[in-house]
Amino acid sequence: MDELDLLKQHWNNEGNFPKVDKEQIRQMLHRSSSSIIKWIFLISVIELLLGLALFFVVGPEETEHSLVYTVGYVVYDIIFYAVILYFIYQFFSSYRRIKNTTSTKVLLNAILKTRRHVDHYIRFNIYCIICSCVFVSVEKLFQRYQTTSTGHFIFTAVLVAVLVSLFCWLFLFVVKLYYKLLYQRLVKKLNRNYDELTSMEQEEPA
């Protein structure tokens, strides 16, 4: 249980625990939200750096590919990294916006935007994983088709489809678990802060 939870638990309780007014709670929610968004930003940057490091360590395939695959691979990489950089920029912008303001309205808007961007970020990564698996599988099958008989190709295609489906299912399960443990845990804290701030705003006299 963090400092904010302890203070809310003992807020206005009898005893020696110090009284905490709404403004102090609001400031703590502000700091907590800023810290959460900062971690979301840092984690997304680390993921990008790890992805780039893995690419340079593994290196490009030396196998000769079709022109369609080569062009598609380049286009895919450009779009993927451009979108990832866009999300990272949005996370950083939300963090900077919260850090440099004391407005509850700005904080609430930043929380909503961050929550929406995290959801889109997770979906985008999952869709990219699926597209990558399908794209690579189609290229492998195309290469196989050029060097084997029709009957053997059909058998290979069915086998590859089954194996790729199983691999994608297992990999997506791991990815979703990772996002659930990491991003969604942070988003839940943001949601809790958002609810607390909204409740406090509604209690304010008009």
Side-chain angles (χ1 to χ4, degrees):
M1 185 177 293
D2 57 25
E3 178 189 10
L4 182 59
D5 290 328
L6 285 171
L7 286 172
K8 286 189 292 184
Q9 179 180 339
H10 293 281
W11 190 16
N12 292 330
N13 280 0
E14 296 295 332
N16 296 324
F17 200 89
K19 299 289 184 179
V20 181
D21 60 26
K22 286 186 177 181
E23 185 57 32
Q24 288 175 295
I25 293 290
R26 186 180 283 109
Q27 291 174 3
M28 291 174 190
L29 288 168
H30 192 116
R31 289 197 299 269
S32 173
S33 301
S34 176
S35 177
I36 291 169
I37 295 176
K38 180 181 71 174
W39 274 109
I40 291 174
F41 163 69
L42 291 176
I43 292 169
S44 63
V45 171
I46 291 171
E47 287 176 349
L48 175 63
L49 294 177
L50 287 176
L52 290 173
L54 182 63
F55 173 79
F56 286 113
V57 169
V58 175
E61 290 185 86
E62 296 182 359
T63 308
E64 186 176 347
H65 294 288
S66 65
L67 179 61
V68 173
Y69 177 86
T70 303
V71 174
Y73 183 82
V74 172
V75 172
Y76 171 86
D77 270 358
I78 292 173
I79 294 175
F80 176 79
Y81 286 111
V83 174
I84 293 297
L85 288 173
Y86 164 78
F87 281 119
I88 290 175
Y89 171 76
Q90 291 297 329
F91 295 147
F92 176 73
S93 296
S94 294
Y95 167 66
R96 187 177 58 181
R97 194 178 305 117
I98 288 179
K99 188 177 180 181
N100 296 330
T101 186
T102 57
S103 169
T104 302
K105 183 177 180 180
V106 172
L107 175 58
L108 290 172
N109 287 334
I111 290 175
L112 286 175
K113 286 183 178 180
T114 302
R115 188 169 60 185
R116 184 170 63 251
H117 285 134
V118 168
D119 181 63
H120 292 165
Y121 176 77
I122 292 173
R123 290 175 182 272
F124 174 75
N125 278 282
I126 290 175
Y127 292 152
C128 283
I129 291 171
I130 296 173
C131 289
S132 296
C133 291
V134 173
F135 193 52
V136 172
S137 299
V138 170
E139 171 64 13
K140 296 296 183 183
L141 285 174
F142 177 75
Q143 292 178 339
R144 190 72 176 176
Y145 176 74
Q146 294 178 318
T147 59
T148 188
S149 63
T150 303
H152 194 269
F153 170 75
I154 293 174
F155 172 78
T156 303
V158 173
L159 181 62
V160 167
V162 172
L163 292 177
V164 168
S165 298
L166 289 174
F167 173 79
C168 284
W169 180 84
L170 180 61
F171 194 69
L172 286 175
F173 174 79
V174 174
V175 170
K176 286 182 178 180
L177 182 62
Y178 163 76
Y179 283 130
K180 183 177 181 180
L181 292 175
L182 200 60
Y183 283 99
Q184 291 186 8
R185 180 170 172 268
L186 294 172
V187 169
K188 281 183 179 179
K189 290 185 177 181
L190 271 183
N191 288 339
R192 186 174 59 183
N193 289 356
Y194 180 86
D195 292 339
E196 290 285 345
L197 286 166
T198 303
S199 176
M200 292 174 69
E201 286 295 299
Q202 291 173 349
E203 291 174 2
E204 292 289 336

